[in-house]
Amino acid sequence: MAHQIHKVAVLGAGVMGAAIAAHLANVGLSVRLLDIVPPELTKEEAAKGLTLESPVVRNRFASNGLSAARKAKPASFYRAADANRIELGNFEDDLAKIGDCDWVIEAVVENLAIKQSLFERVEKYLSKDAVVSSNTSGISIQDMVKDRSPEFRRRFLGTHFFNPPRYMQLLELIPGPDTDPTIVTVMKAFGERVLGKGVVLAKDTPNFIANRIGTYGLLVTLDAMKKYELGVDEVDAVTGPAMGRPKSATFRTLDLVGLDTFFHVAKNVGQNVTEEWEKQAFIVPEYIEKMLENRWLGEKTGQGFFKRVKSGGSSEILALNLDTFEYRPRKKLKSASLDAAKAAKGSAAKMQALVYGKDSAGLFAWEVLKKVLLYTANKQAEIADDIVAVDNAMKWGFNWELGPYETWDAIGVEKSVLRMRAEGETIPEFVEALLASGKTSFYHRQPGEVPQFYVSSGAYRAVEEPKEAISLARLKEQGKVVKKNSGASLVDLGDGALCLEFHSPKQAIGADIIQMVDVAVKEVSANWEALVIGNQAPNFCVGANLMMMLMEAQDENWDELNMIVHQFQQAAMKLKYMDKPVVSAPFAMALGGGAEMCFPADRVQASAESYIGLVEVGVGLIPGGGGNKEMLIRAIEGVPEGVNTRLDPFVQKAFENIALAKVSTSARDAQDLGYLRSTDGVTVNRDFLLYDAKQAALSLAKAGYTPRQQKPIPVVGESGAAVLKIGVFGMKTAGYVSDHDVKIAHHLIRVLTGGSVPRGTLVPEQYLLDLEREAFLSLVGEPKTQQRMQHMLTTGKPLRN
């Protein structure tokens, strides 16, 4: 096998097939998306005079799949242009074209006979080095290819993506009994590094790992709900973040997934397991069958367990009463144990507070969790080789904060097992063996060391981790902190690279982080090869400390505010012009000041899922940390020097990005918007982001880094400002913006055009920074801006005033 994957064929253009094709295109692969030839014409096709032989008709299903992926929300593509990597076709005319593909993925309907028939045809055209796989969510991998040749079976495995494939981290690999282990190794590495997935190896059992446990957990939740007489909204209050689960909890998750999909998965497990108790466990309640009959499937049909209704210009979410089958206003669950869980710090403390509570919410949570943990341990040997695969599958596939075994450790294995025994439960042999060996946890962790996990032999084994997965927490446990204060730390990444890590609340930029930037510049300049700016929090940085700025403004501490903004600007300039390379590593939200901490870097190594933007206008401000200047530089740097080109269109692009608070939908989109340069790198798997940023920084250092030199910036001056102001006037006349929006826009225009100077004037960066700071301080003193800031802090939403 050549072990190179550049071109992929996806067979089946339904929701999953098209979305898988989209993600493959996102990461730069060439994709063929094929589906069946339609059996008959649509009315629209007949009206156009088309026939069943017309190519547009024959490719209709593939074309419709791609169209749906283009329109999907959340977006399937990183950027619209990525769809151009997908070539459409059909099984009759184009199946032979899979011969030049390195990987063929089957994603047709979940029907064993149909899959077997398709694989029979695929084998005729498959390249001798190609991998072939099925995206099945539960059909036996072995059964699908039992009649295929040994060579085909050697290259065949299950590759189960979770929906939506772009965003869901889990990829389950399911080898068959004849799959070449080398191919499993190759596909695991490809899934992690190229596709950005968290890959787990699952055994060929009904619905594999995540859907098997997740579906069981949902069904026992439905049983416990009836026992404790709770409503769907009350269950969701318990089974969300308080239990370390997503905000969508139970019933909102079912609505998002679709009740038809849930029913299919549950039915598949029930039909394929052998023990009678387990068959009974996967029988869905009658009310779900009734909802299926009513087509109350959830989000895709507009109603399920919840329904959004509009009344008097506002909307309300109603909850389904499963006794009356009528929708009612949602109720707030009153529970001491739930309140205690919400107040607790950390997932472990939250779960302990909840499941050991004595009220109905606590007893309900215990009932659900107990059954899920016992079921998982019961099925451990059947579904996976180790507990790490199971925990990761549930974290990556269902967005649990802790996997089942991590959860068991969190609530105390000994304590919980004693309670289970007292309640008459049979403890799985796997768990009894753990306790009999004198161990009290499934994981063993020593500060600074790789975690170990329990194996059935009674011993612990180190968790296998990719070498590219840097853990800042572990480095800090190893004593690798060089400097730190309340908001940031400098951490030794090894090989001469230092990391500037933000750890203030929400990584908001305040005086402590600005101070640490100064320290970092001096420290790296004197003792290190390169600097990486990054962290491993939920978001890179959501901006400056808004509360601090509002308080200073309300107290009219203008000198203090001026000093803070000036220090932020100068910190960014020091990063930009220091004598060692700087690489910034943004991910998730990098907004406002977060974006401004990326702009000074020599290079940005961004997570593919990076949402970058200058959003200050949402709180009545403009960027204050050099963001306007940097967007202007980025906008005009592509204009050839010495060419008599008007800069106005380029300046307008920068103005629109800031004035409209445009936020990128991906790192690739950030490149299109100009927040990132085409030379900046993109890492698809966020677990490898710091490693890639470190390598990029060290490569700059090893290449003989030359510090950048300041250059004067050409501005369009007052005449260019007049053009932009005409556009703002049009927006105001049309009623799209308020008077205060106009005031903000005029301040922004003054900065971007260089103020009161003629067109073509060359100005230094500091001149633009001074204009920016002046505008920022002027706006922060405006009552309407302060109202916007207060509203954002209170509600988390922008105010239009």
Side-chain angles (χ1 to χ4, degrees), residues 656-728:
E656 289 176 355
N657 278 349
I658 301 170
L660 300 178
K662 290 185 180 180
V663 176
S664 69
T665 57
S666 67
R668 295 300 184 193
D669 185 48
Q671 289 176 320
D672 289 345
L673 289 170
Y675 294 127
L676 300 182
R677 294 183 168 98
S678 60
T679 53
D680 290 328
V682 176
T683 298
V684 184
N685 190 329
R686 198 172 119 186
D687 290 343
F688 302 155
L689 181 60
L690 280 180
Y691 175 86
D692 289 348
K694 172 186 169 182
Q695 297 309 309
L698 291 176
S699 69
L700 289 172
K702 290 173 183 176
Y705 179 73
T706 302
R708 288 179 283 185
Q709 300 295 315
Q710 292 198 41
K711 296 180 181 179
I713 302 164
V715 294
V716 296
E718 291 180 304
S719 61
V723 175
L724 291 173
K725 288 178 180 178
I726 290 172
V728 173

Side-chain angles (χ1 to χ4, degrees), residues 188 192 199-200 385-393 395-396 405-406 409 441-446 448-455 459-469 471 474 687:
K188 183 175 186 293
E192 290 172 342
V199 179
V200 301
D385 285 333
D386 57 64
I387 67 172
V388 179
V390 172
D391 277 348
N392 285 339
K395 289 189 290 185
W396 294 336
Y405 295 102
E406 291 172 326
D409 283 353
S441 65
F442 288 101
Y443 289 90
H444 177 66
R445 292 178 171 86
Q446 289 282 10
E449 294 183 5
V450 175
Q452 296 179 316
F453 66 96
Y454 175 73
V455 292
Y460 287 112
R461 191 167 75 222
V463 175
E464 292 184 14
E465 295 181 339
K467 67 176 183 179
E468 300 101 326
S471 168
R474 195 174 305 154
D687 290 343

Side-chain angles (χ1 to χ4, degrees), residues 768-783:
L768 293 178
L769 288 175
D770 292 341
L771 287 180
E772 176 181 285
R773 192 169 69 257
E774 176 188 335
F776 184 92
L777 293 170
S778 177
L779 285 169
V780 82
E782 291 279 348

Side-chain angles (χ1 to χ4, degrees), residues 389-707:
V390 172
D391 277 348
N392 285 339
M394 299 315 298
K395 289 189 290 185
W396 294 336
F398 278 75
N399 290 323
W400 290 10
E401 287 186 36
L402 301 175
Y405 295 102
E406 291 172 326
T407 297
W408 218 326
D409 283 353
I411 64 172
V413 180
E414 284 185 304
K415 181 179 180 180
S416 59
V417 166
L418 280 174
R419 182 174 175 181
M420 291 173 187
R421 288 193 187 117
E423 293 172 354
E425 302 289 353
T426 300
I427 308 303
E429 183 180 335
F430 180 64
V431 183
E432 292 284 22
L434 170 85
L435 296 173
S437 69
K439 297 175 173 59
T440 59
S441 65
F442 288 101
Y443 289 90
H444 177 66
R445 292 178 171 86
Q446 289 282 10
E449 294 183 5
V450 175
Q452 296 179 316
F453 66 96
Y454 175 73
V455 292
S456 56
S457 62
Y460 287 112
R461 191 167 75 222
V463 175
E464 292 184 14
E465 295 181 339
K467 67 176 183 179
E468 300 101 326
I470 292 174
S471 168
L472 286 177
R474 195 174 305 154
L475 288 174
K476 289 193 283 188
E477 290 173 349
Q478 294 169 359
K480 299 294 186 180
V481 175
V482 177
K483 305 274 185 181
K484 70 175 183 178
N485 63 21
S486 60
S489 294
L490 297 179
V491 184
D492 179 3
L493 295 178
D495 303 313
L498 197 62
C499 179
L500 171 58
E501 177 205 21
F502 304 160
H503 46 68
S504 58
K506 296 186 178 180
Q507 288 60 56
I509 296 172
D512 44 8
I513 286 180
I514 294 170
Q515 178 190 22
M516 192 54 67
V517 171
D518 286 339
V519 173
V521 170
K522 294 173 184 175
E523 177 66 26
V524 171
S525 178
N527 303 308
W528 303 81
E529 297 296 318
L531 176 67
V532 172
I533 303 174
N535 62 73
Q536 293 176 325
N539 293 292
F540 176 73
C541 175
V542 296
N545 189 327
L546 192 62
M547 174 65 80
M548 179 273 293
M549 288 193 297
L550 178 60
M551 291 174 61
E552 296 289 359
Q554 289 175 338
D555 291 341
E556 298 185 355
N557 291 332
W558 308 122
D559 289 342
E560 182 73 18
L561 270 172
N562 180 62
M563 182 184 71
I564 291 171
V565 176
H566 177 72
Q567 288 175 342
F568 187 10
Q569 292 178 338
Q570 295 311 304
M573 290 289 281
K574 289 173 184 176
L575 286 171
K576 185 174 183 179
Y577 294 109
M578 70 180 291
D579 58 353
K580 299 289 179 67
V582 179
V583 173
S584 191
F587 57 89
M589 288 193 285
L591 305 176
E596 289 171 315
M597 290 307 297
C598 298
F599 294 158
D602 295 282
R603 188 171 299 168
V604 175
Q605 186 70 35
S607 166
E609 298 298 340
S610 290
Y611 316 121
I612 303 172
L614 297 169
V615 296
E616 285 85 351
V617 294
V619 290
L621 297 167
I622 67 167
N628 308 285
K629 165 183 68 74
E630 289 297 328
M631 285 306 297
L632 178 61
I633 291 172
R634 280 163 170 70
I636 65 176
E637 65 186 358
V639 181
E641 291 185 19
V643 177
N644 187 22
T645 303
R646 287 182 67 89
L647 298 178
D648 299 66
F650 304 97
V651 177
Q652 179 156 344
K653 180 181 179 182
F655 171 75
E656 289 176 355
N657 278 349
I658 301 170
L660 300 178
K662 290 185 180 180
V663 176
S664 69
T665 57
S666 67
R668 295 300 184 193
D669 185 48
Q671 289 176 320
D672 289 345
L673 289 170
Y675 294 127
L676 300 182
R677 294 183 168 98
S678 60
T679 53
D680 290 328
V682 176
T683 298
V684 184
N685 190 329
R686 198 172 119 186
D687 290 343
F688 302 155
L689 181 60
L690 280 180
Y691 175 86
D692 289 348
K694 172 186 169 182
Q695 297 309 309
L698 291 176
S699 69
L700 289 172
K702 290 173 183 176
Y705 179 73
T706 302

